[in-house]
Amino acid sequence: MFKRFKKQFPFIRLNPPQVLSIGFIVIIFLGSVLLSLPIASADGTGQPYLDALFMSASATCVTGLSVINTGEFYSFFGEIVLLLLVQIGGLGFMTMATLIALVFRRKITFRERLILQEAMNHNSTEGIVRLIRKVLYYSLIIELTGAILLAIRWSFELPFKTALYFGVFHSISIFNNAGFDLFSSLKDRPGSLMHYVDDPFVNIISILLIVLGGIGFIVISDLLTYRFNKKLSLHSKVVLSVSGILIAVGCLVIFVFEFTNTQSLQPLSPTGKILSSLFQSVSSRSAGLNTLDIGSLRQGTQFFIIIMMFIGASPGSSGGGIKVTTFAILVGAMIAMVRGKEDIVMFQRRIAGDRIYKAITFTMISFLIIVVFTMVLSTTENFSFLGILFEVTSAYATAGMSLGLTPQLTSFGKMLIILLMFIGRLGPVTLAFSLTITPEKDHYRYPEGKITIG
């Protein structure tokens, strides 16, 4: 009967991008229902549904933008729901579904492997289930280690149960690049990690969690097997080298631009200046946490952070943006063009033409999305242009940083930001494929033409 039903309704057969899109939508709506319940709020009054939908989307898309004060508003139940959404959104719902299938020893079908390939942004289905096992194992070990270390540090100033809970919550949130924090629930404490701007231990642990969550599980797997095979894939080499350069450049730019700013770096000790510059450089590309007041930074620094957010993290990670590999290909194309070379070469390997087209396409679509949404929100929201551009880029890149616009958004503005976070988490190309029922292939080629450039 079911086979006859599928024959009568062939559109029920969804392709992998469609499965991913619908899966994320279902999780977001389930989360919004739970967060809107009275039991989810600390005062028992509940939350307006649109705000609950916004928070559910922000958590599932591991963004971190918030229309309310997370630490003060939610009850323990609400915080756990938010944390579960972050974990599911960070690892991917298909990864979580695979975990359940593996626990019950159910066979992973080829179609499910295709969906996992799309979800992990992997090149092929070969070894995809083995990669998922590694993802789950690495995530558990890293999050558990981070939770223990942070709990030990915070146990010196907080009750043990609170320190342990804070350690678990923030380790998961930081590793998945979500950016949610609970410190505003403590009396006389600023939000995020601003209280620990001078604390080397909290800064270093947080930076390591952000980096490990942002470089992607393929790179982590390569690094762990390097001592056996003494080899790194081209992908890992590009991700590690470009990420290192971006972190160093970002740290230097923030340090130089903010060195004399009395509202950011100037009052800090030399150690605090270096730590906060490094932390903000690492966090800007996807994590959404801050040890400096982002609204107090100079406009030049804020615009630089917009660029960093646009570049984002690495493929196969929980971070957003156009990804560091895309940025590397664009820079490589520019260098090749200036030097008069036909091929983009990285680490003695030529980059395939389809990768270059995909990088250019993804960057242009991302740029156009940010431009259009910024123009629309500039007419509906009463905020500065730079603030709106900052918020839009942060939502699309799932970075989670804000100059204070999010709590002031109109209902229409909240809906647009929800849509942006969803597009940014899936990726515009994946979303476009999910809306395409049958991709068309050209059976012929037109004669070549020439256009003058420059």
Side-chain angles (χ1 to χ4, degrees):
M1 181 179 177
F2 182 67
K3 289 182 178 179
R4 186 167 68 249
F5 180 79
K6 286 199 297 185
K7 286 181 180 179
Q8 292 175 348
F9 301 96
F11 58 85
I12 293 297
R13 292 287 293 179
L14 303 175
N15 59 37
Q18 289 170 337
V19 173
L20 289 177
S21 301
I22 293 174
F24 269 103
I25 290 172
V26 170
I27 292 170
I28 289 170
F29 277 103
L30 284 176
S32 67
V33 172
L34 292 174
L35 291 176
S36 64
L37 297 175
I39 192 177
S41 60
D43 58 6
T45 58
Q47 187 177 19
Y49 181 74
L50 182 58
D51 288 351
L53 180 64
F54 187 100
M55 294 301 295
S56 178
S58 182
T60 307
C61 299
V62 287
T63 304
L65 290 176
S66 180
V67 291
I68 46 92
N69 190 316
T70 308
E72 292 181 353
F73 183 84
Y74 286 120
S75 64
F76 177 73
F77 174 83
E79 290 169 359
I80 293 300
V81 170
L82 202 70
L83 194 62
L84 287 174
L85 291 174
V86 167
Q87 187 71 85
I88 294 171
L91 295 181
F93 78 94
M94 277 305 299
T95 303
M96 303 302 290
T98 303
L99 170 63
I100 296 172
L102 292 174
V103 168
F104 287 98
R105 298 184 181 278
R106 190 178 71 81
K107 185 179 180 181
I108 310 298
T109 66
F110 180 70
R111 177 173 172 75
E112 290 167 339
R113 292 168 192 263
L114 287 174
I115 298 172
L116 287 170
Q117 177 192 344
E118 184 73 28
M120 296 302 297
N121 203 6
H122 201 42
N123 293 327
S124 69
T125 58
E126 184 180 355
I128 191 67
V129 176
R130 187 165 59 252
L131 176 63
I132 294 301
R133 285 197 183 97
K134 290 181 179 179
V135 166
L136 296 168
Y137 177 74
Y138 298 156
S139 299
L140 177 62
I141 295 299
I142 293 170
E143 289 175 352
L144 183 61
T145 304
I148 292 172
L149 292 174
L150 291 174
I152 291 172
R153 166 63 184 85
W154 290 329
S155 65
F156 290 101
E157 60 188 62
L158 299 172
F160 179 74
K161 287 185 178 179
T162 304
L164 183 61
Y165 175 55
F166 271 41
V168 172
F169 186 97
H170 291 93
S171 179
I172 294 174
S173 177
I174 295 171
F175 175 69
N176 287 287
N177 287 193
F180 290 107
D181 74 279
L182 302 178
F183 285 104
S184 55
S185 63
L186 302 177
K187 193 174 182 180
D188 300 326
R189 283 284 186 95
S192 199
L193 297 178
M194 292 175 62
H195 183 73
Y196 301 98
V197 63
D198 273 319
D199 191 312
F201 189 87
V202 173
N203 274 267
I204 291 171
I205 296 301
S206 300
I207 286 171
L208 289 174
L209 286 171
I210 294 169
V211 170
L212 288 173
I215 60 176
F217 296 104
I218 299 172
V219 179
I220 294 175
S221 179
D222 269 5
L223 289 174
L224 291 176
T225 57
Y226 178 76
R227 62 193 180 109
F228 301 111
N229 54 29
K230 302 299 180 183
K231 287 175 60 178
L232 285 177
S233 66
L234 176 62
H235 170 83
S236 296
K237 290 178 181 178
V238 171
V239 166
L240 291 173
S241 58
V242 176
S243 296
I245 293 171
L246 288 173
I247 289 171
V249 171
C251 178
L252 180 62
V253 170
I254 293 171
F255 185 85
V256 171
F257 277 46
E258 296 298 318
F259 188 80
T260 57
N261 188 346
T262 56
Q263 294 180 303
S264 59
L265 291 188
Q266 199 270 338
L268 300 177
S269 65
T271 302
K273 287 183 173 68
I274 296 172
L275 280 176
S276 55
S277 299
L278 179 61
F279 184 91
Q280 222 51 68
S281 174
V282 172
S283 180
S284 294
R285 288 191 291 115
S286 66
L289 290 166
N290 56 286
T291 54
L292 299 173
D293 182 5
I294 303 300
S296 299
L297 300 179
R298 292 192 168 110
Q299 288 191 350
T301 310
Q302 292 171 351
F303 187 73
F304 176 75
I305 291 176
I306 290 175
I307 297 172
M308 296 287 278
M309 290 191 295
F310 184 74
I311 295 171
S314 307
S317 72
S318 54
I322 63 172
K323 304 294 190 297
V324 294
T325 48
T326 301
F327 176 71
I329 289 175
L330 294 178
V331 173
M334 180 181 67
I335 293 173
M337 180 63 69
V338 170
R339 296 176 62 187
K341 304 289 185 181
E342 291 187 3
D343 297 328
I344 300 175
V345 178
M346 297 180 182
F347 297 98
Q348 298 180 336
R349 291 291 186 274
R350 177 174 55 86
I351 306 301
D354 65 316
R355 300 289 94 184
I356 302 171
Y357 281 125
K358 187 174 182 180
I360 295 172
T361 301
F362 190 39
T363 303
M364 287 305 300
I365 292 175
S366 300
F367 177 75
L368 289 174
I369 288 173
I370 290 174
V371 167
V372 170
F373 275 76
T374 301
M375 289 172 62
V376 174
L377 286 172
S378 294
T379 61
T380 63
E381 311 301 315
N382 185 22
F383 212 75
S384 68
F385 176 78
L386 183 63
I388 292 173
L389 177 62
F390 194 99
E391 204 84 8
V392 167
T393 308
S394 178
Y396 176 75
T398 66
M401 289 195 174
S402 175
L403 294 183
L405 172 61
T406 307
Q408 303 178 34
L409 287 169
T410 62
S411 296
F412 180 73
K414 290 175 183 176
M415 292 170 64
L416 285 184
I417 295 296
I418 289 171
L419 179 59
L420 257 180
M421 291 188 292
F422 178 70
I423 295 173
R425 182 65 181 98
L426 282 178
V429 176
T430 298
L431 190 63
F433 278 132
S434 70
L435 299 176
T436 304
I437 298 175
T438 306
E440 295 183 3
K441 293 184 178 180
D442 293 330
H443 299 290
Y444 55 88
R445 298 179 71 184
Y446 289 101
E448 186 179 279
K450 292 186 178 180
I451 298 177
T452 303
I453 302 295

